[in-house]
């Protein structure tokens, strides 16, 4: 009897337990409750924080500026831009090789006062003032995102050129007929400068305006090679470097003679002109029929290497005489002879020139050191002077 009762009781209770268990399980699934200890440990929502961090670290900015090769003159400022589409809280780092130059908007180290950072929207510009040769190289802009992004600029420095002449004195003396070599030595500059030569106020002896190369050689020199020669070293910097050599071809005097007649009313003035080429400088003297003509008794002038003897009103004595200019230096001497009748270039004074001549005044007495040229304006002075002297 007891066994039958127990069996009936179990058969009644078990379905309820099974049903109750299913209901409880389903309830727990549909409604997990208001508090989950694992999720809210220490009062921090770790699931939410990790989700935001994951979004920030996954963001990769895109560069707006592009990497370039920049050529900068030594002494100019280097400016390298680094701009992205959206910087937000990310950090820009400038590096050169393994060395960090800037971190954010400040120099990483204080050992170079030339380094600055110019802020910009979504980026910055690295500035290096007073650039030097050592500043050439690659510069990397790096953004501190999860996925590393970099922008590289290449800087090339044009180093100021410099040259020196050989000889350093800038003066090269050779004897006529000997060879001459002009040399320009490049002492600095990058890239390597190109060297060209030019001659002051005239073409090169070959007729060309310039010659290329550090050396100019003349196998055999004459007085026509004398002059100022300048070499130019150019590598694209602001201005080429220069060095000048004065080539002095030492030679005996050579004379170019000229006669000029000036007709003034009824009088004829004759200018006997000797242009003397000599190195070293020559001493020039005038002779009439072999006798030295002294300055105090004659009108003699000098300008540079141009020596002039003025005769006003050709006398009978002049018509029967020969005039000479003699030039002498340490190497040799030369003579130019003027014979009557003179083969001259005729010049006739205009009325305006005659008026100027009549009203001109003596500006200075001609002396041994005078370089004044005898001009048409000085004719009255010359007449007044010659009235006081005896012409040989």
């Amino acid at each position: 009897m007891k066994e039958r009762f127990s069996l009936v009781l179990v058969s009644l209770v078990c379905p309820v337990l099974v049903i109750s268990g299913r209901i409880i399980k389903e309830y727990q699934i549909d409604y997990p409750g208001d508090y989950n200890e694992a999720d809210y440990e220490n009062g921090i929502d770790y699931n939410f924080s990790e989700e935001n961090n994951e979004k920030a670290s996954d963001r990769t900015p895109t560069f707006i500026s592009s990497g370039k090769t920049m050529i900068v003159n030594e002494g100019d400022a280097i400016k390298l831009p680094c701009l992205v589409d959206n910087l937000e809280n990310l950090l820009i780092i400038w590096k050169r090789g393994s060395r960090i130059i800037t971190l954010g908007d400040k120099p990483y180290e204080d050992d170079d006062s030339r380094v600055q950072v110019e802020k910009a929207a979504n980026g910055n510009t690295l500035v290096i003032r007073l650039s030097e040769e050592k500043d050439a190289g690659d510069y990397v802009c790096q953004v501190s995102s999860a996925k590393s992004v970099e922008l590289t600029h290449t800087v090339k420095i044009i180093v100021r050129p410099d040259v020196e002449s050989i000889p350093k004195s800038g003066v090269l003396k050779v004897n006529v007929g000997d060879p001459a070599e002009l040399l320009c030595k490049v002492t600095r500059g990058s890239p390597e400068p190109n060297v060209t030569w030019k001659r002051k106020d005239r073409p090169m002896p070959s007729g060309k305006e310039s010659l290329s190369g550090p050396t100019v050689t003349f196998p055999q020199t004459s007085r026509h090679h004398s002059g100022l020669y300048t070499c130019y070293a150019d590598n694209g910097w602001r201005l080429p470097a220069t060095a000048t050599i004065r080539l002095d071809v030492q030679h005996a005097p050579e004379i170019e003679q000229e006669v000029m007649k000036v007709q003034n009313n009824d009088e004829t003035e004759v200018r006997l002109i000797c242009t003397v080429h000599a190195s070293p400088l020559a001493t020039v003297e005038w002779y009439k029929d072999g006798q030295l003509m002294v300055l105090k008794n004659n009108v003699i002038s000098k300008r540079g290497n141009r020596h002039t003897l003025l005769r006003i009103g050709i006398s009978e004595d002049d018509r029967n005489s020969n005039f000479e200019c003699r030039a002498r230096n340490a190497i040799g001497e030369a003579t130019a002879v003027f014979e009557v009748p003179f083969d001259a270039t005729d010049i006739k004074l205009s009325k305006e020139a005659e008026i100027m001549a009549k009203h001109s005044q003596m500006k200075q007495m001609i002396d041994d050191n005078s370089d004044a040229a005898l001009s048409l304006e000085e004719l009255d002075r010359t007449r007044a002077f010659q009235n006081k002297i005896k012409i040989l």
Side-chain angles (χ1 to χ4, degrees), residues 55-103:
K55 288 181 180 178
S57 62
D58 285 346
R59 184 171 58 82
T60 302
T62 301
F63 285 107
I64 296 175
S65 53
S66 56
K68 296 181 179 179
T69 297
M70 308 185 73
I71 300 176
V72 181
N73 283 327
E74 179 186 18
D76 291 350
I78 301 170
K79 294 189 175 184
L80 307 176
C82 183
L83 304 174
V84 297
D85 57 348
N86 186 11
L87 186 62
E88 289 189 357
N89 295 323
L90 300 178
L91 197 66
I92 290 180
I93 303 170
W94 279 99
K95 297 191 301 181
R96 186 180 176 196
S98 59
R99 176 173 171 264
I100 296 176
I101 302 174
T102 68
L103 197 61

Side-chain angles (χ1 to χ4, degrees), residues 5-21:
F5 177 78
S6 299
L7 190 61
V8 171
L9 183 60
V10 169
S11 63
L12 292 173
V13 173
C14 283
V16 175
L17 292 174
V18 172
I19 294 171
S20 298

Side-chain angles (χ1 to χ4, degrees), residues 199-200 223-229 245-249:
R199 190 180 185 187
K200 184 179 179 181
R223 71 174 178 86
H224 299 288
H225 288 86
S226 295
L228 290 175
Y229 296 82
I245 296 177
R246 180 169 67 87
L247 176 59
D248 183 2
V249 180

Side-chain angles (χ1 to χ4, degrees), residues 329-345:
N329 67 5
I331 299 176
E333 62 181 50
T335 300
V337 179
F338 298 85
E339 296 181 353
V340 180
F342 301 119
D343 182 12
T345 301

Side-chain angles (χ1 to χ4, degrees), residues 201-227:
D201 298 333
R202 64 185 67 182
M204 301 294 282
S206 63
K208 295 182 178 179
E209 289 298 322
S210 63
L211 293 175
S212 298
T215 304
V216 173
T217 301
F218 303 124
Q220 187 175 19
T221 55
S222 70
R223 71 174 178 86
H224 299 288
H225 288 86
S226 295

